């Protein structure tokens, strides 16, 4: 940076608060008896059925997500605006009248990205200006102690669920418990693989075992409803509410905005958002991450990105985030996880990857009927999940 900054007292207090919160959370982690339903098998080698599980295949997964998006019709206000008249004014959120659309995203591989003004108005959380927007009671401080990077580009929903669960460790009753991964035994800590290996996740979310990874096979990734169900596996006594966001009604934006802000002000609630990265000015497609706070000054939400290798946490304008949540997931509802048992061998594991790489458009044409007729894929709006203890 080519300028000097003088740390303020507020910024110093935020640093102290962050350190205290992290130490408190770590110091109060309690060992709990492993629940029968959440027993985790010993660490296993890479799954043969993990079609897109390696680092080199992450680009292939992203390509598949882009292909799937062709099955869904545009739904966000920004996309609709390109096809018809400009949308009506937002009833609550102050709009930037000069901005007609979200500018193209800069490459995340440029590590100076977070230190330069983002074209879409994003404010990344590694500057004094960004940190000063955090309140001492922000959820971000609780999330920080258990926010791990997603282990591949398909596990954003699992990683977001794990972060939310870990952030509630000091509030959870021991009867609920968290899965105990052998690597951290006897301490309860939600790792992504541990969450997916439970009998509840296999029966109600996606097939996941030593030979098949249902997150990385058809239809690819998790839907909003699946992430909510995954959270319910570990929070049977809590309220887990999934809300699809459809912005066609003018009053929806106001209600969603108020719902998110209220949840972020409650220490016993957590919020996970499902949105399209393009709607907030970033590269990529459908994504999950927890929210870490709200800034009234900027009317922006802090997205604690679980793809930490790609983007740091960022303040996103409320308008852009709501638009991004109002987009459509081409397979937002489907017969999960039972339909995965019917996936033929020719579309499993390495063969799935080979089909996407060899002829992406042709492969999509082949599986399109299977996705709709057998897996019962239907489009649904993205949205958010509110967890309340």
């Amino acid at each position: 940076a080519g300028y000097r900054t003088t740390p303020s007292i507020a910024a110093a207090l935020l640093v102290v608060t962050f350190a205290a919160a992290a130490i408190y959370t770590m110091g109060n982690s309690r060992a709990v008896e492993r629940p029968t339903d959440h027993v985790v098998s010993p660490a296993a080698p890479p799954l043969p059925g993990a079609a897109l599980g390696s680092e080199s295949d992450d680009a292939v997964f992203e390509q598949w997500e882009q292909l799937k998006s062709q099955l869904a019709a545009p739904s966000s206000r920004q996309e609709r605006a390109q096809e018809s008249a400009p949308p009506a004014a937002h009833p609550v959120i102050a709009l930037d009248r000069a901005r007609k659309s979200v500018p193209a995203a800069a490459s995340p591989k440029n590590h100076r990205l977070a230190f330069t003004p983002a074209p879409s108005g994003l404010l990344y959380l590694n500057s004094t200006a960004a940190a000063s927007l955090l309140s001492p009671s922000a959820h971000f401080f609780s999330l920080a102690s258990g926010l791990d990077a997603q282990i591949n580009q398909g596990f954003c929903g699992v990683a977001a669920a794990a972060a939310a669960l870990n952030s509630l460790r000091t509030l959870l009753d021991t009867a609920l418990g968290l899965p105990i991964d052998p690597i951290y035994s006897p301490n309860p800590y939600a790792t992504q693989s541990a969450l997916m290996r439970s009998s509840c996740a296999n029966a109600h979310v996606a097939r996941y075992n030593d030979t098949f990874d249902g997150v990385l096979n058809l239809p690819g990734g998790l839907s909003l409803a699946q992430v909510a169900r995954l959270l319910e596996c570990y929070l049977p006594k809590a309220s887990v509410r999934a809300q699809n966001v459809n912005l066609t009604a003018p009053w929806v934006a106001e209600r969603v905005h108020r719902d998110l802000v209220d949840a972020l002000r409650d220490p016993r609630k957590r919020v996970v958002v499902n949105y399209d990265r393009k709607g907030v000015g970033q590269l990529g497609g459908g994504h999950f991450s927890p929210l870490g706070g709200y800034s009234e000054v900027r009317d922006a939400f802090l997205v604690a990105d679980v793809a930490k290798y790609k983007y740091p946490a960022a303040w996103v304008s409320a308008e852009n985030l709501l638009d991004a949540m109002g987009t459509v997931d081409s397979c937002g509802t489907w017969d999960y996880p039972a339909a995965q048992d019917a996936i033929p061998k020719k579309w499993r594991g390495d063969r799935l990857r080979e089909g996407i790489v060899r002829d992406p458009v042709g492969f999509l044409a082949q599986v399109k009927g299977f996705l709709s007729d057998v897996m019962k894929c239907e489009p649904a709006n993205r949205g958010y999940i509110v967890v309340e203890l």
Side-chain angles (χ1 to χ4, degrees), residues 14-372:
L14 283 170
V15 173
V16 173
T17 304
F18 173 80
I23 294 172
Y24 176 80
T25 304
M26 293 172 64
N28 284 274
S29 295
R30 298 168 297 189
V32 298
E33 187 174 351
R34 185 183 303 178
T36 302
D37 186 47
H38 299 159
V39 172
V40 178
S41 59
L47 304 181
L52 310 172
S54 67
E55 259 182 53
S56 60
D57 287 336
D58 280 350
V60 181
F61 185 88
E62 188 161 333
Q63 183 181 20
W64 171 243
E65 285 298 296
Q66 292 172 355
L67 282 171
K68 278 203 310 177
S69 68
Q70 298 175 19
L71 302 176
S75 70
S76 75
R77 290 182 302 177
Q78 291 167 353
E79 289 173 309
R80 291 197 306 272
Q82 297 174 5
E83 301 177 350
S84 59
H90 194 292
V92 167
I93 303 171
L95 302 179
D96 179 358
R97 304 298 179 183
R99 178 162 48 79
K100 301 302 181 184
S101 62
V102 177
S107 171
K109 293 182 180 180
N110 174 6
H111 296 291
R112 293 179 298 172
L113 171 68
F115 298 97
T116 58
S120 60
L122 293 165
L123 181 60
Y124 289 100
L125 192 66
N126 56 5
S127 67
T128 302
S132 67
L133 297 175
L134 278 168
S135 69
S137 60
H139 287 187
F140 177 77
F141 297 113
S142 297
L143 288 167
S145 66
L147 182 67
D148 297 327
Q150 60 186 85
I151 57 179
N152 55 57
Q153 290 208 59
F155 265 54
C156 57
V158 183
L165 289 169
N166 286 328
S167 73
L168 295 169
R169 278 178 295 171
T170 58
L171 300 176
L172 286 172
D173 184 87
T174 55
L176 299 180
L178 288 178
I180 301 177
D181 193 302
I183 196 172
Y184 297 131
S185 180
N187 304 297
Y189 187 85
T191 62
Q192 295 161 54
S193 60
L195 289 186
M196 291 306 301
R197 285 185 180 276
S198 75
S199 59
C200 180
N202 273 272
H204 303 291
V205 181
R207 303 298 194 222
Y208 189 94
N209 52 53
D210 290 342
T211 61
F212 185 81
D213 183 336
V215 181
L216 297 177
N217 275 271
L218 294 176
L222 297 180
S223 66
L224 182 70
Q226 284 175 283
V227 174
R229 190 66 186 87
L230 181 61
L231 286 164
E232 288 177 337
C233 282
Y234 299 95
L235 298 169
K237 297 181 180 179
S239 167
V240 179
R241 174 169 54 88
Q243 180 66 56
N244 298 97
V245 174
N246 188 331
L247 297 173
T248 54
W251 50 266
V252 172
E254 179 180 1
R255 187 185 68 180
V256 171
H257 186 279
R258 183 170 60 249
D259 196 18
L260 294 178
V261 172
D262 289 347
L264 290 168
R265 289 173 176 167
D266 190 332
R268 296 184 67 82
K269 291 183 179 181
R270 294 294 182 269
V271 181
V272 172
V273 291
N274 179 208
Y275 61 102
D276 190 325
R277 280 193 183 279
K278 294 185 289 295
V280 301
Q282 294 179 331
L283 295 176
H287 190 55
F288 284 91
S289 282
L291 289 185
Y294 172 72
S295 168
E296 189 172 358
V297 173
R298 289 181 64 98
D299 190 21
F301 293 97
L302 179 64
V303 177
D305 206 321
V306 293
K308 299 164 74 172
Y309 52 83
K310 188 173 183 178
Y311 288 110
W315 290 102
V316 179
S317 74
E319 178 202 355
N320 285 351
L321 183 60
L322 265 64
D323 274 334
M325 289 192 295
T327 54
V328 170
D329 179 347
S330 61
C331 196
T333 64
W334 60 283
D335 183 21
Y336 63 87
Q340 290 187 318
D341 297 334
I343 299 175
K345 290 184 179 180
K346 65 178 180 179
W347 295 334
R348 286 176 177 248
D350 291 339
R351 294 184 181 181
L352 171 62
R353 174 189 176 278
E354 291 168 2
I356 297 172
V357 173
R358 183 175 59 252
D359 182 10
V361 178
F363 182 76
L364 179 63
Q366 290 180 44
V367 302
K368 185 176 180 179
F370 180 81
L371 290 173
S372 61

